Amino acid sequence: MATTDEIIKRTAPSHLIDHNLIDREVESLCDGMVKYEKRPAKRKDGSVVQGLYNAWIIFNNPKQFNSYTTDMVKATILAFRRASVDREVSAVVFTGVGEKAFCTGGNTKEYAEYYAGNPQEYRQYMRLFNDMVSAILGCDKPVVCRVNGMRIGGGQEIGMACDFSVAHDLANFGQAGPKHGSAAIGGATDFLPVMIGCEQAMVSGTLCEPFSAHKAARLGIIADVVPALKIDGKFVPNPTVVTDKFIDEYGRVIHGEFRTGTQFKEGLALIKEGEIDLSMLDQKVEELCAKLIDTFPECMTKSLEELRKPKLNAWNANKENSRAWLALNMMNEARTGFRAFNEGTKETGREIEFVKLRQGLAVGTPWTEELVESLMPGAQG
Ligand SMILES: CC(C)(COP(=O)(O)OP(=O)(O)OC[C@H]1O[C@@H](n2cnc3c(N)ncnc32)[C@H](O)[C@@H]1OP(=O)(O)O)[C@@H](O)C(=O)NCCC(=O)NCCSC(=O)C1=CCCCC1=O
């Protein structure tokens, strides 16, 4: 009997049709701020599989915490499409450069300096943003979010659109919307209720308090968590987070909550002293990809399509209305909130005086340029 290799050689077509829409390098769309790399796929024993790859889509804007600009959004859509149609690609790994941030959402500089007060332009941007989320949810290959650091705002939304998330435990998670002039309707309000239940979704989507990777694992937003901090050459869990106790003296679950007071400060100091090493994260990601490659490809894709439905159905039901609302919101709250983050500093703060705004609106004050200026951090002296 012929070997499988011989049959492949004899029967595979000599010419393959390219199903990509355009023939451009992903990097060329965004000055290299999104990288697309095909890395050899590996088996569970670590050996390289000939002719098969994982596509790594990497945000490369570390100075701005891997936030995405408009060009990066375009490049990401192309990258997911490329990975989706590439016969040699088994899985997609979506990550960012460095160890600080996976992604902290839309680029607030671009929001404040270009889109603020320009709803028709932001509506066009939201076409692209929506297509990016849909490209992740529609990818024919399993998508693993390698959470190399903070996953905040739109970063959390595109992360939750992925099929799996594996994080290092110095990463924080959460939303920023209502603090910075937006609503977390770029996916979070669709995905959170189905992923963690309505009550915790409400807490995350409205209060915008960051939570730890250990809590993210407990809530079920991520599949796995690994340490990244090395002290004296040994991996240790994030020292700013409770990881050694499950309940407090009143029986409340505290595993994954941030430590407070002196303990928190000591934890931060220890992180500064130590070395950050993402090798355990990479090992976990490779292990997961190796499990995924050991399956029938079409059965895998069908399973992904079915299991994505709770997220996808919610997303499809809301995404166009969300786009329209977000565009118009650029006229007042987003215009104010993103400018405040962009123009504020550590000293002045980067948020507006919410109570002052609410007091003004409570007596019917209209949204004027003068009102917006007065709300900027430091404007009142
Ligand atoms: C909480 C933070 C994520 C981290 O805070 P901290 O650890 O204190 O770091 P910073 O000093 O704030 O940040 C370090 C530098 O990175 C720059 N940065 C961080 N995030 C962004 C960003 N999103 N865009 C541009 N630049 C960013 C920051 O300015 C610092 O640089 P500098 O030169 O000034 O020293 C905190 O950084 C934070 O809250 N970031 C903003 C989060 C945010 O508001 N994201 C946008 C949310 S809205 C969104 O994503 C949406 C998606 C689609 C739908 C509509 C929508 O709104």
Side-chain angles (χ1 to χ4, degrees):
M1 191 202 289
T3 65
T4 311
D5 280 346
E6 287 163 351
I7 297 166
I8 291 170
K9 214 167 167 190
R10 196 163 13 91
T11 59
S14 57
H15 168 72
L16 291 169
I17 289 177
D18 182 356
H19 295 105
N20 270 299
L21 278 176
I22 55 165
D23 189 15
R24 286 259 314 252
E25 293 294 316
V26 167
E27 287 80 357
S28 74
L29 290 182
C30 58
D31 252 340
M33 285 164 80
V34 178
K35 298 198 280 181
Y36 182 85
E37 292 176 10
K38 275 170 75 172
R39 298 191 184 174
K42 291 182 185 154
R43 294 187 185 82
K44 285 179 195 150
D45 64 7
S47 62
V48 167
V49 180
Q50 278 300 311
L52 295 179
Y53 301 85
N54 296 315
W56 283 57
I57 298 171
I58 308 166
F59 278 175
N60 182 24
N61 182 17
K63 282 202 181 119
Q64 294 179 313
F65 278 15
N66 289 324
S67 56
Y68 45 78
T69 60
T70 307
D71 284 346
M72 288 170 70
V73 175
K74 287 190 210 170
T76 307
I77 297 165
L78 180 64
F80 272 95
R81 179 75 185 209
R82 182 141 301 164
S84 192
V85 300
D86 189 331
R87 299 167 186 86
E88 295 178 336
V89 166
S90 157
V92 178
V93 178
F94 190 18
T95 190
V97 162
E99 78 278 334
K100 276 260 182 307
F102 161 66
C103 174
T104 57
N107 189 278
T108 48
K109 188 169 166 60
E110 198 178 57
Y111 281 8
E113 294 177 4
Y114 185 74
Y115 291 115
N118 216 339
Q120 68 287 352
E121 287 296 294
Y122 197 60
R123 194 170 147 84
Q124 295 296 344
Y125 166 89
M126 279 307 300
R127 169 81 285 128
L128 292 167
F129 176 85
N130 281 2
D131 288 353
M132 172 168 67
V133 174
S134 296
I136 301 169
L137 286 163
C139 185
D140 280 350
K141 314 294 164 66
V143 182
V144 179
C145 183
R146 173 183 173 274
V147 190
N148 58 299
M150 275 180 223
R151 206 171 83 170
I152 302 286
Q156 167 79 325
E157 295 180 312
I158 55 177
M160 289 190 294
C162 300
D163 302 310
F164 302 90
S165 292
V166 181
H168 76 65
D169 76 350
L170 302 175
N172 289 346
F173 293 74
Q175 297 307 144
K179 288 275 187 198
H180 292 171
S182 192
I185 56 179
T189 50
D190 304 307
F191 307 149
L192 280 170
V194 298
M195 293 176 87
I196 62 174
C198 290
E199 186 77 11
Q200 290 301 324
M202 193 62 81
V203 170
S204 176
T206 61
L207 302 183
C208 306
E209 291 166 348
F211 52 92
S212 76
H214 288 280
K215 184 159 179 179
R218 171 156 62 79
L219 290 176
I221 290 183
I222 61 174
D224 219 333
V225 56
V226 292
L229 178 66
K230 264 183 165 172
I231 301 290
D232 299 331
K234 267 183 68 181
F235 278 108
V236 297
N238 183 342
T240 63
V241 174
V242 179
T243 51
D244 54 351
K245 263 171 96 177
F246 199 70
I247 51 171
D248 70 6
E249 68 268 39
Y250 303 117
R252 296 176 299 194
V253 178
I254 52 165
H255 187 275
E257 298 299 335
F258 289 114
R259 294 185 192 279
T260 52
T262 320
Q263 285 191 329
F264 185 78
K265 282 191 191 140
E266 286 170 0
L268 282 183
L270 198 61
I271 294 175
K272 272 206 176 132
E273 250 174 58
E275 175 204 347
I276 310 290
D277 178 341
L278 299 192
S279 60
M280 277 185 80
L281 179 66
D282 288 328
Q283 197 184 327
K284 266 283 165 224
V285 168
E286 288 295 349
E287 269 171 28
L288 179 53
C289 291
K291 286 181 190 172
L292 291 165
I293 209 172
D294 253 346
T295 57
F296 278 107
E298 289 302 321
C299 295
M300 170 57 66
T301 304
K302 180 62 180 162
S303 303
L304 296 172
E305 284 166 358
E306 294 305 316
L307 289 163
R308 284 172 184 164
K309 275 186 183 164
K311 287 198 271 188
L312 192 62
N313 288 345
W315 169 245
N316 283 340
N318 300 319
K319 65 182 185 200
E320 296 307 318
N321 287 338
S322 298
R323 175 189 177 211
W325 185 89
L326 284 165
L328 290 177
N329 184 56
M330 264 298 168
M331 285 308 290
N332 43 44
E333 294 193 0
R335 168 178 159 212
T336 312
F338 289 125
R339 274 193 53 197
F341 184 81
N342 192 47
E343 293 167 26
T345 60
K346 292 263 184 238
E347 290 70 43
T348 59
R350 307 184 91 170
E351 289 172 8
I352 67 150
E353 276 241 33
F354 297 110
V355 171
K356 269 272 170 283
L357 171 64
R358 284 173 178 272
Q359 284 172 330
L361 298 179
V363 293
T365 308
W367 279 96
T368 57
E369 187 60 36
E370 192 188 12
L371 176 71
V372 173
E373 289 301 333
S374 77
L375 291 166
M376 287 303 116
Q380 302 295 310

